[in-house]
Amino acid sequence: MTPGATSDRSLLLIPVLIGAGWAGTVALSPRLGPAIYAAPALAALLAVLALVLAGAAAARPVGLALLLVIVLAGLNVAFDPRQEGEVGLTPQNALKLMAWLFLATVTLLQARRFLWMLRDPMLALAGLHVVLATVSAAWSLAPLYTLVNGIGLIGYLGLACLVAVRLPERAALRVMAGSLFALIGGGLVVGNLVPDMGWIPPSHGEPQWRFQGVSGQPNVYAQQAGYLLTLAVCARRERHLTRGAFLACLVVALAAILLSNSRTTLLACLLAWALVALRERGRLRVLAVPLAAAAVLALLAVSLGGLAGLDGVFGGLTRSGSASELTTLTGRTEIWAVAADLIAQRPLLGWGYNGTEQLIADSVPTTFYGSHVNTHNMSLQLVLGLGVLGALPGLGFVAGLLWRLLRSPDPTRDQVTLLMVVSGLSEAPIFIMPALQNLVVFSVLARDASWRVRPPPRAGREGAAP
């Protein structure tokens, strides 16, 4: 028998010794109760987590991939939904704080790997936006909460940059789509097994049942499903997903969006998909003339009093059955007016990033029914939080993405951009707080920068090739 074979067999003694030690502990420690039986599973879980975190801290591809799974599929589960205006250290907020601190620390430790990418103007503007959001804690109405959210943004931008330079595009898209599939698909299963958690009953202004899965809010669940659909389409277009995997993602995403009854997200997803697909086939210009003619006819009909029969025509498209839900965008125009007044009070630097929940709640009329955690508009929310001056970097990288959409098309980047912009007309996903949408948008920005900027000789871009 060779020495190597003897060494291999001796390794089998490790689990035997661990099992014997655990059995002895159980026998000798009856006072510890039933919890002792979970000790091996807990120890194994902690050991795996430690290995993942160590790999991520060293920016190893496997560690970063597993960290993506934890962030996308884990941090977006709302096991402890907070109340509107609540900025205290709830168990869920504490978990996010620990994760964001770790991500921010990894960002600082591994910054040398991706700092060269900041020579790309759009990524540099995103970085400046993150810095201003963090610094706005100095004048925020909820300074500690703003600071924590700024740390989260730093972590998400850093993770996106590390993924861009250390993971191949194929691996990154598959991991992100798979993580969202687990989050949305798991939400469908758990939410239906536990209806009290998964379904929101009818209320004033919401006459229908709406599904929220494990995300804590139907619109949030729909937006997450929208990004699953978009990333799955992008991955399939580049042949990174098999047809079966793509169809599974598509069915789960559409089912989640339809059950959540979010028509805005469905429209944004389908519109982004259709525009990119038509452009790729060279048919977008052919449709431009009839679409423009239809828009002119619609404006003419409105000017001639065509709104008179709007309830009969569009009532069926709304949850309440009233066309006023369309004309007021489900009450959003009312909250936009409030936001405009608040912006006028602090026009330059705003009220602080994600520090305006209670301010909006105290400012809306008592007759307002609906969610007032934010302004439900991407641009308004950004200006409210950071002011006109502070909003310039954020608006700048969004405008830059749209400019590149026109001047240097890229299907993956452009479909994510269109989803963000269209949904941003009635929601404020990337400018509310660090969330899934931020990580996805930062990822396409970093991916674009890794291809546009020539790296220094020792940058180590072994994972950046598509």
Side-chain angles (χ1 to χ4, degrees):
M1 184 179 297
T2 63
T6 304
S7 176
D8 290 341
R9 290 189 177 185
S10 66
L11 293 176
L12 297 176
L13 292 176
I14 296 177
V16 174
L17 292 174
I18 293 175
W22 173 59
T25 304
V26 171
L28 298 176
S29 307
R31 294 182 181 180
L32 295 178
I36 190 62
Y37 296 99
L42 179 61
L45 179 63
L46 291 176
V48 170
L49 182 61
L51 289 175
V52 170
L53 296 181
R60 294 179 179 174
V62 174
L64 291 173
L66 292 174
L67 191 58
L68 264 182
V69 175
I70 293 173
V71 172
L72 291 173
L75 291 187
N76 291 295
V77 175
F79 61 86
D80 181 30
R82 64 186 183 88
Q83 300 298 318
E84 292 186 359
E86 172 60 49
V87 296
L89 195 63
T90 64
Q92 177 137 355
N93 285 346
L95 181 62
K96 286 185 176 181
L97 174 59
M98 289 187 292
W100 291 347
L101 283 172
F102 175 78
L103 289 174
T105 302
V106 172
T107 297
L108 296 177
L109 292 176
Q110 300 294 337
R112 59 182 176 81
R113 295 183 182 272
F114 60 80
L115 280 179
W116 55 270
M117 291 199 303
L118 292 178
R119 286 182 289 167
D120 177 67
M122 297 307 103
L123 189 62
L125 285 172
L128 183 56
H129 161 70
V130 168
V131 170
L132 287 174
T134 307
V135 172
S136 70
W139 61 85
S140 172
L141 298 177
L144 184 58
Y145 194 62
T146 295
L147 178 62
V148 168
N149 281 270
I151 292 172
L153 287 178
I154 293 171
Y156 282 2
L157 182 60
L159 177 60
C161 291
L162 287 172
V163 166
V165 298
R166 298 289 287 167
L167 284 181
E169 181 190 15
R170 176 183 177 87
L173 276 176
R174 293 179 71 172
V175 169
M176 294 174 78
S179 301
L180 292 181
F181 179 82
L183 173 68
I184 304 304
L188 284 174
V189 174
V190 174
N192 281 290
L193 290 177
V194 189
D196 289 343
M197 179 181 71
W199 290 89
I200 296 293
S203 61
H204 189 284
E206 293 283 359
Q208 299 176 0
W209 286 83
R210 300 187 66 192
F211 190 72
Q212 63 179 2
V214 294
S215 300
Q217 213 277 339
N219 288 338
V220 172
Y221 186 61
Q223 290 166 18
Q224 294 169 348
Y227 278 91
L228 167 61
L229 187 153
T230 299
L231 290 177
V233 170
C234 295
R236 177 57 186 167
R237 184 188 293 117
E238 301 294 334
R239 300 294 187 268
H240 298 327
L241 282 184
T242 64
R243 182 176 299 177
F246 167 67
L247 290 176
C249 290
L250 187 64
V251 169
V252 166
L254 287 175
I257 295 172
L258 292 174
L259 287 175
S260 69
N261 209 358
S262 178
R263 292 169 173 83
T264 303
T265 298
L266 181 61
L267 174 63
C269 288
L270 297 182
L271 183 61
W273 186 2
L275 288 176
V276 171
L278 289 171
R279 185 188 65 185
E280 292 297 296
R281 289 167 174 78
R283 299 175 183 173
L284 194 57
R285 293 183 180 180
V286 177
L287 293 177
V289 174
L291 288 176
V296 170
L297 289 175
L299 290 174
L300 182 62
V302 170
S303 66
L304 294 176
L307 289 174
L310 205 57
D311 274 343
V313 177
F314 295 111
L317 299 177
T318 63
R319 287 192 287 268
S320 63
S322 172
S324 64
E325 186 175 327
L326 283 178
T327 56
T328 65
L329 297 176
T330 321
R332 283 170 171 78
T333 52
E334 188 173 2
I335 204 168
W336 291 350
V338 170
D341 291 338
L342 294 174
I343 290 172
Q345 296 177 32
R346 285 193 183 182
L348 296 182
L349 295 176
W351 298 84
Y353 180 81
N354 199 20
T356 59
E357 280 191 29
Q358 195 59 53
L359 175 68
I360 297 174
D362 294 339
S363 303
V364 294
T366 55
T367 55
F368 178 81
Y369 291 97
S371 174
H372 43 62
V373 295
N374 59 75
T375 64
H376 296 280
N377 179 273
M378 185 171 68
S379 301
L380 270 180
Q381 182 66 35
L382 178 61
V383 176
L384 178 65
L386 297 180
V388 175
L389 291 180
L392 290 177
L395 295 176
F397 79 73
V398 172
L401 285 172
L402 291 173
W403 176 253
R404 287 180 177 176
L405 182 150
L406 297 174
R407 300 297 297 175
S408 54
D410 176 80
T412 298
R413 180 200 64 213
D414 297 344
Q415 192 166 338
V416 170
T417 298
L418 287 170
L419 175 60
M420 170 190 68
V421 171
V422 176
S423 62
L425 297 176
S426 62
E427 296 295 342
I430 67 166
F431 294 137
I432 302 174
M433 63 179 297
L436 178 153
Q437 296 90 333
N438 297 81
L439 183 55
V440 175
V441 173
F442 287 161
S443 294
V444 297
L445 275 169
R447 168 183 173 272
D448 212 37
S450 70
W451 294 354
R452 288 174 172 271
V453 179
R454 180 180 296 276
R458 300 181 181 180
R461 295 183 64 217
E462 59 270 27

